[in-house]
Amino acid sequence: MSSSHPVDDAAISAQVPLHQRPRRLRRTEAIRKMVRETQLSVNDLIYPLFVMEGEDLKVEVASMPGCYRYSLDLLLKEVSEVYELGINAIALFPVVTEEKKDATGTESYNPEGLVQRTVRAIKQAVPEIMVITDVALDPFSSDGHDGIVDENGVILNDPTVEVLVKMAVSQAEAGSDMVAPSDMMDGRIGAIRRGLDAKGYTNVSILAYSAKYASAYYGPFRDALDSAPKFGDKKTYQMDPANALEAIKEIDLDIAEGADIVMVKPALPYLDIIYRVREHTQLPVAAYNVSGEYAMIKAAGQQGWIDEKKVMLETLTSIKRAGADLILTYFAKEVALILR
Ligand code: PBG
Protein backbone atom coordinates (compact mmCIF):
# COMPACT_ATOMS: atom_id res chain seq x y z
CA MET A 1 0.00 0.00 0.00
CA SER A 2 2.50 2.55 1.16
CA SER A 3 5.21 3.49 -1.28
CA SER A 4 7.68 4.41 1.48
CA HIS A 5 10.23 2.16 3.08
CA PRO A 6 8.83 -0.01 5.93
CA VAL A 7 11.44 1.34 8.40
CA ASP A 8 10.30 4.96 7.72
CA ASP A 9 6.69 3.97 8.30
CA ALA A 10 7.59 2.54 11.70
CA ALA A 11 9.35 5.78 12.68
CA ILE A 12 6.37 7.94 11.65
CA SER A 13 3.85 5.86 13.57
CA ALA A 14 6.02 6.05 16.72
CA GLN A 15 5.72 9.87 16.70
CA VAL A 16 2.77 10.28 19.04
CA PRO A 17 2.08 14.02 19.30
CA LEU A 18 3.65 15.33 22.56
CA HIS A 19 1.67 18.00 24.36
CA GLN A 20 4.43 18.54 26.89
CA ARG A 21 7.95 19.07 25.68
CA PRO A 22 9.92 20.36 28.72
CA ARG A 23 12.91 21.03 26.47
CA ARG A 24 11.05 24.03 24.95
CA LEU A 25 11.83 25.93 28.13
CA ARG A 26 15.50 25.01 27.96
CA ARG A 27 16.13 26.07 24.35
CA THR A 28 17.92 29.36 24.88
CA GLU A 29 19.68 31.16 27.69
CA ALA A 30 16.92 33.80 27.65
CA ILE A 31 14.12 31.30 28.26
CA ARG A 32 16.20 29.46 30.86
CA LYS A 33 16.65 32.72 32.76
CA MET A 34 12.90 33.43 32.53
CA VAL A 35 11.91 30.16 34.17
CA ARG A 36 14.81 29.89 36.64
CA GLU A 37 13.43 29.05 40.09
CA THR A 38 16.44 29.89 42.23
CA GLN A 39 18.51 33.05 41.91
CA LEU A 40 21.72 33.35 43.84
CA SER A 41 22.11 36.95 45.01
CA VAL A 42 24.85 38.83 46.78
CA ASN A 43 22.20 39.61 49.41
CA ASP A 44 22.22 35.95 50.41
CA LEU A 45 25.88 35.91 51.31
CA ILE A 46 27.65 36.24 54.64
CA TYR A 47 31.45 36.36 54.45
CA PRO A 48 33.44 34.69 57.26
CA LEU A 49 36.73 36.45 58.00
CA PHE A 50 39.68 35.57 60.23
CA VAL A 51 41.40 38.30 62.22
CA MET A 52 44.75 38.04 64.01
CA GLU A 53 47.09 40.24 66.03
CA GLY A 54 49.82 42.25 64.33
CA GLU A 55 50.17 44.75 61.53
CA ASP A 56 50.32 44.55 57.79
CA LEU A 57 49.80 40.78 57.87
CA LYS A 58 47.85 38.68 55.42
CA VAL A 59 48.61 34.97 55.80
CA GLU A 60 46.95 32.38 53.63
CA VAL A 61 45.36 29.39 55.41
CA ALA A 62 47.17 26.38 53.91
CA SER A 63 44.07 24.18 53.75
CA MET A 64 41.86 27.04 52.50
CA PRO A 65 43.51 28.55 49.40
CA GLY A 66 42.24 32.08 48.84
CA CYS A 67 41.35 32.57 52.54
CA TYR A 68 43.54 34.61 54.81
CA ARG A 69 44.12 35.55 58.40
CA TYR A 70 44.32 39.33 58.41
CA SER A 71 45.76 41.73 60.92
CA LEU A 72 43.22 44.39 61.84
CA ASP A 73 44.59 47.11 59.51
CA LEU A 74 44.37 44.84 56.44
CA LEU A 75 41.08 43.33 57.57
CA LEU A 76 39.51 46.80 57.49
CA LYS A 77 40.55 47.16 53.85
CA GLU A 78 39.08 43.77 53.04
CA VAL A 79 35.82 44.66 54.80
CA SER A 80 35.39 47.92 52.88
CA GLU A 81 36.23 46.13 49.64
CA VAL A 82 33.61 43.44 50.14
CA TYR A 83 31.03 45.98 51.27
CA GLU A 84 31.66 47.85 48.00
CA LEU A 85 31.00 44.56 46.21
CA GLY A 86 27.56 44.42 47.82
CA ILE A 87 28.20 41.97 50.66
CA ASN A 88 26.00 43.03 53.57
CA ALA A 89 27.45 40.98 56.38
CA ILE A 90 30.67 39.47 57.65
CA ALA A 91 31.13 36.80 60.34
CA LEU A 92 34.21 37.42 62.43
CA PHE A 93 36.51 34.72 63.86
CA PRO A 94 39.61 35.55 65.94
CA VAL A 95 42.98 33.83 65.92
CA VAL A 96 43.83 34.06 69.61
CA THR A 97 47.47 33.77 70.65
CA GLU A 98 48.27 30.72 72.79
CA GLU A 99 49.24 32.70 75.91
CA LYS A 100 45.82 34.37 76.02
CA LYS A 101 43.97 31.05 76.09
CA ASP A 102 42.87 29.54 79.38
CA ALA A 103 40.53 26.88 80.76
CA THR A 104 37.48 29.15 80.99
CA GLY A 105 38.06 31.41 77.98
CA THR A 106 38.27 34.66 79.98
CA GLU A 107 39.85 36.46 77.01
CA SER A 108 36.53 36.08 75.19
CA TYR A 109 34.91 38.86 77.21
CA ASN A 110 37.95 41.13 77.57
CA PRO A 111 36.71 44.57 76.42
CA GLU A 112 40.17 45.07 74.84
CA GLY A 113 40.22 41.61 73.26
CA LEU A 114 40.90 41.08 69.58
CA VAL A 115 37.23 40.60 68.66
CA GLN A 116 36.09 43.65 70.60
CA ARG A 117 38.79 45.90 69.11
CA THR A 118 38.06 44.60 65.64
CA VAL A 119 34.31 45.14 65.92
CA ARG A 120 34.81 48.72 67.11
CA ALA A 121 37.22 49.43 64.26
CA ILE A 122 34.92 47.95 61.60
CA LYS A 123 31.91 49.83 62.94
CA GLN A 124 33.92 53.02 62.66
CA ALA A 125 35.35 52.34 59.20
CA VAL A 126 32.33 50.68 57.54
CA PRO A 127 29.37 51.36 59.83
CA GLU A 128 26.76 50.04 57.39
CA ILE A 129 28.06 46.49 57.17
CA MET A 130 26.46 43.93 59.50
CA VAL A 131 29.05 42.54 61.88
CA ILE A 132 28.27 39.06 63.15
CA THR A 133 30.37 37.77 66.03
CA ASP A 134 30.83 34.13 66.95
CA VAL A 135 29.92 33.09 70.48
CA ALA A 136 31.81 29.97 71.55
CA LEU A 137 34.79 29.19 73.73
CA ASP A 138 36.99 27.23 71.34
CA PRO A 139 39.24 30.04 70.00
CA PHE A 140 39.86 31.14 73.61
CA SER A 141 40.03 27.75 75.32
CA SER A 142 43.33 26.09 76.19
CA ASP A 143 41.47 22.79 75.66
CA GLY A 144 40.20 23.75 72.20
CA HIS A 145 36.65 22.91 73.20
CA ASP A 146 33.51 25.01 72.90
CA GLY A 147 32.88 24.70 76.60
CA ILE A 148 34.60 24.51 79.96
CA VAL A 149 36.13 21.08 80.58
CA ASP A 150 36.14 19.46 84.04
CA GLU A 151 38.86 17.21 85.48
CA ASN A 152 37.25 14.15 83.87
CA GLY A 153 37.17 15.68 80.41
CA VAL A 154 33.43 16.40 80.58
CA ILE A 155 32.22 19.59 78.87
CA LEU A 156 30.21 21.51 81.47
CA ASN A 157 27.00 23.02 80.15
CA ASP A 158 25.71 25.63 82.58
CA PRO A 159 29.05 27.16 83.64
CA THR A 160 29.85 27.48 79.93
CA VAL A 161 26.58 29.27 79.25
CA GLU A 162 27.51 31.86 81.89
CA VAL A 163 30.72 32.64 79.98
CA LEU A 164 28.84 32.73 76.67
CA VAL A 165 26.48 35.39 78.06
CA LYS A 166 29.43 37.54 79.15
CA MET A 167 31.03 37.07 75.74
CA ALA A 168 27.86 38.03 73.86
CA VAL A 169 27.28 41.12 76.02
CA SER A 170 30.88 42.19 75.57
CA GLN A 171 30.55 41.81 71.78
CA ALA A 172 27.34 43.86 71.84
CA GLU A 173 29.09 46.55 73.88
CA ALA A 174 31.78 46.68 71.18
CA GLY A 175 29.09 47.23 68.54
CA SER A 176 28.30 43.78 67.16
CA ASP A 177 25.01 43.77 65.24
CA MET A 178 24.36 40.08 65.58
CA VAL A 179 25.76 37.42 67.88
CA ALA A 180 26.07 33.87 66.60
CA PRO A 181 26.34 31.15 69.26
CA SER A 182 28.12 28.21 67.59
CA ASP A 183 28.79 26.18 70.73
CA MET A 184 25.73 23.88 71.00
CA MET A 185 25.35 24.17 74.79
CA ASP A 186 21.77 23.65 75.96
CA GLY A 187 19.81 26.78 76.85
CA ARG A 188 22.37 29.25 75.58
CA ILE A 189 20.06 31.13 73.22
CA GLY A 190 17.62 32.00 76.01
CA ALA A 191 20.40 32.92 78.42
CA ILE A 192 22.11 35.15 75.84
CA ARG A 193 18.81 36.84 74.91
CA ARG A 194 18.10 37.61 78.58
CA GLY A 195 21.68 38.78 79.12
CA LEU A 196 21.58 41.14 76.14
CA ASP A 197 18.15 42.51 77.03
CA ALA A 198 19.15 43.11 80.64
CA LYS A 199 21.97 45.36 79.39
CA GLY A 200 19.71 47.19 76.97
CA TYR A 201 20.89 45.42 73.81
CA THR A 202 17.39 44.50 72.68
CA ASN A 203 18.31 45.35 69.08
CA VAL A 204 21.22 42.96 68.85
CA SER A 205 19.95 39.90 67.05
CA ILE A 206 20.82 36.23 67.46
CA LEU A 207 21.86 33.99 64.60
CA ALA A 208 21.63 30.57 66.23
CA TYR A 209 23.79 27.69 65.07
CA SER A 210 20.82 25.47 65.89
CA ALA A 211 21.49 22.27 63.96
CA LYS A 212 25.25 22.09 64.12
CA TYR A 213 26.66 18.64 63.48
CA ALA A 214 29.82 17.01 64.83
CA SER A 215 31.38 17.17 61.40
CA ALA A 216 34.78 16.26 59.97
CA TYR A 217 34.26 19.11 57.50
CA TYR A 218 35.46 21.68 60.06
CA GLY A 219 39.11 20.59 59.81
CA PRO A 220 40.48 23.49 57.73
CA PHE A 221 38.71 26.06 59.96
CA ARG A 222 40.47 24.60 63.00
CA ASP A 223 43.76 24.98 61.11
CA ALA A 224 42.91 28.62 60.44
CA LEU A 225 42.27 29.37 64.13
CA ASP A 226 44.64 26.83 65.71
CA SER A 227 41.57 25.71 67.61
CA ALA A 228 41.46 21.94 67.22
CA PRO A 229 40.40 20.15 70.42
CA LYS A 230 43.42 19.08 72.47
CA PHE A 231 41.68 15.81 73.34
CA GLY A 232 38.61 13.89 72.24
CA ASP A 233 35.98 15.21 69.88
CA LYS A 234 32.86 17.40 70.02
CA LYS A 235 30.29 14.61 69.90
CA THR A 236 28.82 15.26 73.36
CA TYR A 237 27.60 18.69 72.29
CA GLN A 238 27.48 18.85 68.47
CA MET A 239 24.86 16.70 66.75
CA ASP A 240 25.16 13.18 65.39
CA PRO A 241 25.31 13.36 61.56
CA ALA A 242 22.80 10.50 61.46
CA ASN A 243 20.01 12.55 63.05
CA ALA A 244 17.36 14.67 61.33
CA LEU A 245 14.41 14.81 63.74
CA GLU A 246 16.77 16.04 66.41
CA ALA A 247 17.59 19.01 64.19
CA ILE A 248 13.94 20.05 64.31
CA LYS A 249 13.96 19.69 68.09
CA GLU A 250 17.03 21.96 68.32
CA ILE A 251 15.44 24.48 65.94
CA ASP A 252 12.23 24.57 68.00
CA LEU A 253 14.15 25.09 71.23
CA ASP A 254 16.22 27.92 69.79
CA ILE A 255 13.13 29.66 68.38
CA ALA A 256 11.33 29.33 71.72
CA GLU A 257 14.41 30.79 73.44
CA GLY A 258 14.55 33.81 71.13
CA ALA A 259 16.62 33.06 68.02
CA ASP A 260 16.07 35.51 65.13
CA ILE A 261 17.65 33.33 62.45
CA VAL A 262 18.32 29.59 62.65
CA MET A 263 21.24 27.85 61.01
CA VAL A 264 22.12 24.43 59.67
CA LYS A 265 25.81 23.52 59.56
CA PRO A 266 27.50 22.12 57.46
CA ALA A 267 25.46 22.78 54.32
CA LEU A 268 26.15 20.44 51.42
CA PRO A 269 26.03 17.08 53.26
CA TYR A 270 22.90 18.34 55.09
CA LEU A 271 20.69 19.69 52.29
CA ASP A 272 17.87 17.46 53.53
CA ILE A 273 18.08 19.14 56.94
CA ILE A 274 18.01 22.60 55.35
CA TYR A 275 14.91 21.55 53.43
CA ARG A 276 13.16 20.18 56.51
CA VAL A 277 13.99 23.27 58.56
CA ARG A 278 12.77 25.58 55.78
CA GLU A 279 9.46 23.67 55.70
CA HIS A 280 9.20 23.79 59.48
CA THR A 281 9.77 27.42 60.42
CA GLN A 282 8.85 30.95 59.32
CA LEU A 283 12.20 32.32 60.48
CA PRO A 284 14.98 33.03 58.00
CA VAL A 285 17.17 29.95 57.57
CA ALA A 286 20.93 30.21 57.22
CA ALA A 287 23.34 27.49 56.11
CA TYR A 288 27.09 27.35 56.67
CA ASN A 289 29.04 26.18 53.62
CA VAL A 290 31.94 25.21 55.88
CA SER A 291 35.70 25.15 55.47
CA GLY A 292 35.93 21.49 54.37
CA GLU A 293 33.29 22.04 51.68
CA TYR A 294 35.31 25.01 50.45
CA ALA A 295 38.61 23.12 50.61
CA MET A 296 37.31 20.17 48.56
CA ILE A 297 36.21 22.41 45.70
CA LYS A 298 39.44 24.43 45.80
CA ALA A 299 41.61 21.31 45.88
CA ALA A 300 39.86 19.58 42.99
CA GLY A 301 39.89 22.87 41.07
CA GLN A 302 43.64 23.28 41.59
CA GLN A 303 44.19 19.74 40.29
CA GLY A 304 42.22 20.63 37.20
CA TRP A 305 39.73 17.87 37.98
CA ILE A 306 36.66 20.08 38.13
CA ASP A 307 35.69 23.51 36.86
CA GLU A 308 36.01 25.28 40.19
CA LYS A 309 33.89 28.31 39.38
CA LYS A 310 31.00 26.27 37.98
CA VAL A 311 31.06 23.80 40.85
CA MET A 312 31.10 26.69 43.32
CA LEU A 313 28.02 28.31 41.76
CA GLU A 314 26.20 24.98 41.42
CA THR A 315 26.91 24.14 45.06
CA LEU A 316 25.72 27.49 46.40
CA THR A 317 22.63 27.36 44.18
CA SER A 318 21.81 23.91 45.55
CA ILE A 319 22.06 25.19 49.12
CA LYS A 320 19.70 28.03 48.29
CA ARG A 321 17.33 25.72 46.39
CA ALA A 322 17.18 23.42 49.41
CA GLY A 323 15.77 26.36 51.38
CA ALA A 324 18.58 28.48 52.78
CA ASP A 325 17.85 32.22 52.74
CA LEU A 326 21.38 33.05 53.82
CA ILE A 327 24.66 31.28 53.15
CA LEU A 328 27.84 31.73 55.13
CA THR A 329 30.54 30.97 52.61
CA TYR A 330 34.24 31.56 52.06
CA PHE A 331 33.31 31.93 48.39
CA ALA A 332 31.29 35.09 49.12
CA LYS A 333 33.78 37.54 47.64
CA GLU A 334 34.37 35.45 44.49
CA VAL A 335 30.62 35.11 43.98
CA ALA A 336 30.06 38.83 44.53
CA LEU A 337 32.65 39.55 41.83
CA ILE A 338 30.88 37.21 39.41
CA LEU A 339 27.37 38.47 40.16
CA ARG A 340 28.37 42.12 39.91
C1 PBG B 1 33.48 26.75 66.61
C2 PBG B 1 33.21 26.89 65.17
C3 PBG B 1 33.61 25.98 64.20
C4 PBG B 1 33.23 26.49 62.97
C5 PBG B 1 32.58 27.71 63.20
N1 PBG B 1 32.58 27.94 64.58
C6 PBG B 1 34.40 24.73 64.33
C7 PBG B 1 34.00 23.72 65.29
O1 PBG B 1 32.87 23.64 65.75
O2 PBG B 1 34.88 22.93 65.63
C8 PBG B 1 33.51 25.82 61.67
C9 PBG B 1 33.41 26.63 60.45
C10 PBG B 1 34.00 25.99 59.25
O3 PBG B 1 34.44 24.82 59.25
O4 PBG B 1 34.04 26.68 58.22
N2 PBG B 1 32.56 27.16 67.51
Side-chain angles (χ1 to χ4, degrees):
M1 277 220 306
S2 166
S3 59
S4 60
H5 191 278
V7 173
D8 290 343
D9 286 348
I12 288 162
S13 63
Q15 274 179 16
V16 179
L18 280 179
H19 293 299
Q20 282 296 345
R21 286 182 183 270
R23 289 183 56 195
R24 280 183 202 123
L25 301 186
R26 298 180 201 135
R27 270 183 57 237
T28 66
E29 182 56 17
I31 190 71
R32 288 192 293 271
K33 279 186 188 160
M34 288 165 67
V35 300
R36 188 157 292 151
E37 298 172 35
T38 307
Q39 311 277 354
L40 200 59
S41 150
V42 70
N43 292 325
D44 311 327
L45 306 174
I46 297 171
Y47 193 28
L49 284 169
F50 305 119
V51 64
M52 66 175 171
E53 300 287 357
E55 250 175 79
D56 200 27
L57 295 172
K58 178 179 174 182
V59 183
E60 194 167 40
V61 180
S63 50
M64 302 174 72
C67 284
Y68 303 85
R69 305 156 145 199
Y70 295 94
S71 57
L72 180 48
D73 50 343
L74 297 192
L75 183 89
L76 292 177
K77 284 189 191 156
E78 182 68 7
V79 172
S80 18
E81 209 178 306
V82 300
Y83 185 68
E84 291 302 312
L85 287 173
I87 292 175
N88 296 307
I90 60 138
L92 196 60
F93 295 97
V95 185
V96 179
T97 44
E98 211 56 45
E99 68 271 15
K100 293 209 167 125
K101 299 185 183 184
D102 61 22
T104 58
T106 51
E107 179 63 13
S108 67
Y109 50 90
N110 174 0
E112 292 308 316
L114 180 58
V115 170
Q116 289 80 355
R117 278 181 281 129
T118 304
V119 173
R120 284 197 293 268
I122 295 173
K123 283 280 116 182
Q124 193 144 41
V126 196
E128 304 86 359
I129 203 162
M130 286 286 295
V131 176
I132 304 172
T133 44
D134 197 68
V135 181
L137 250 57
D138 51 322
F140 309 95
S141 151
S142 41
D143 298 306
H145 274 286
D146 293 35
I148 298 172
V149 185
D150 78 1
E151 60 280 7
N152 303 315
V154 173
I155 313 299
L156 301 173
N157 195 88
D158 299 10
T160 298
V161 171
E162 283 177 35
V163 179
L164 297 175
V165 173
K166 287 188 202 171
M167 191 186 315
V169 167
S170 147
Q171 293 170 351
E173 264 162 16
S176 176
D177 297 292
M178 188 179 278
V179 296
S182 69
D183 56 289
M184 291 300 279
M185 296 301 121
D186 294 333
R188 90 276 206 218
I189 301 299
I192 289 170
R193 185 69 274 160
R194 288 189 295 277
L196 290 172
D197 291 354
K199 295 282 185 182
Y201 297 112
T202 51
N203 287 332
V204 171
S205 42
I206 301 180
L207 166 60
Y209 286 68
S210 303
K212 177 172 177 178
Y213 287 87
S215 171
Y217 284 88
Y218 307 149
F221 174 95
R222 295 175 190 171
D223 293 343
L225 295 194
D226 284 329
S227 63
K230 300 281 157 61
F231 67 90
D233 52 42
K234 300 192 175 186
K235 289 180 186 170
T236 69
Y237 45 107
Q238 299 179 347
M239 284 179 52
D240 184 337
N243 292 357
L245 293 171
E246 192 187 355
I248 303 300
K249 169 172 146 188
E250 286 282 6
I251 297 280
D252 281 344
L253 286 170
D254 284 0
I255 294 173
E257 291 177 30
D260 297 285
I261 302 176
V262 288
M263 177 148 55
V264 175
K265 178 187 180 183
L268 199 53
Y270 298 88
L271 291 181
D272 58 324
I273 308 298
I274 296 172
Y275 180 77
R276 288 191 195 211
V277 170
R278 175 64 294 163
E279 296 283 290
H280 184 75
T281 176
Q282 282 72 51
L283 261 54
V285 176
Y288 203 141
N289 176 227
V290 301
S291 57
E293 300 173 56
Y294 175 86
M296 290 195 302
I297 293 176
K298 284 284 168 186
Q302 285 184 347
Q303 293 283 334
W305 293 342
I306 58 170
D307 183 326
E308 184 184 317
K309 212 182 250 184
K310 286 183 181 161
V311 171
M312 165 184 84
L313 291 173
E314 184 176 333
T315 301
L316 295 173
T317 301
S318 77
I319 294 168
K320 183 148 187 216
R321 191 196 61 232
D325 304 292
L326 297 165
I327 307 172
L328 284 90
T329 179
Y330 303 98
F331 288 118
K333 189 178 180 184
E334 278 180 64
V335 175
L337 282 163
I338 293 171
L339 295 180
R340 190 162 59 148

